[in-house]
Amino acid sequence: MLCARECPDWCIYIDSHKETVPAAAPGGRERSRNVLDRFAIDFSLCMYCGICIEVCPFDALFWSPEFEYAETDILELTHERDKLREWMWTVPEPPALDPAAEEPKEIAAARKSAEKVRTQREEEAAAAAAPPAPTDQEGQA
């Protein structure tokens, strides 16, 4: 709901309700989650600033080159999610990442952790495959 909170025109309408999710394991506690009932944008109020797109942590909002949504009645400029979904095919593919750009910190940290785990497994496998070292008792016999 960041998009609706950050919108300077308050033209994004989000309605939801909470549902209880049963515990995944015996003895666990029930969880609750938000379920989306309504997502609408009132284009008669929207000033096309793009703040909603920038703050969305899920990349659920994006610009579309679609511009032919004129209506004869201003009340019909409030588009519900079904109408918004019809424009999905008009959204261009995102630009390719810059190959010279620095790797994101999250990916670098994940790669470092994965490499550490791989190194530990290789060392464990090498130790298990190596013949056991002779003990002092075997050398004295």
Side-chain angles (χ1 to χ4, degrees):
M1 296 192 46
L2 287 173
C3 57
R5 276 188 255 147
E6 295 293 326
C7 179
D9 289 335
W10 293 86
C11 66
I12 300 175
Y13 307 112
I14 299 176
D15 295 328
S16 65
H17 69 276
K18 291 196 181 276
E19 280 187 357
T20 303
V21 179
R29 69 176 197 155
E30 294 179 337
R31 306 273 181 190
S32 65
R33 67 176 179 176
N34 283 330
V35 178
L36 184 65
D37 294 327
R38 179 182 185 217
F39 183 89
I41 300 175
D42 187 349
F43 287 104
S44 66
L45 297 175
C46 182
M47 61 184 199
Y48 303 94
C49 63
I51 293 173
C52 57
I53 295 169
E54 292 176 16
V55 299
C56 181
F58 304 106
D59 291 333
L61 298 174
F62 35 78
W63 288 117
S64 168
E66 183 69 37
F67 61 91
E68 297 178 11
Y69 52 89
E71 302 289 345
T72 56
D73 185 4
I74 196 168
L75 296 176
E76 293 177 8
L77 282 173
T78 300
H79 294 234
E80 301 291 332
R81 71 178 151 180
D82 294 334
K83 177 82 170 187
L84 296 170
R85 190 175 292 131
E86 291 175 11
W87 296 343
M88 295 253 327
W89 65 272
T90 66
V91 177
E93 290 291 321
L97 298 176
D98 183 2
E102 181 180 322
E103 184 177 44
K105 292 179 179 131
E106 296 87 353
I107 294 175
R111 186 183 320 279
K112 185 177 178 182
S113 296
E115 195 159 311
K116 185 177 178 181
V117 169
R118 185 177 51 84
T119 304
Q120 287 175 346
R121 287 183 181 165
E122 288 174 355
E123 290 172 358
E124 291 171 1
T135 61
D136 289 340
Q137 294 173 356
E138 292 176 359
Q140 293 176 0

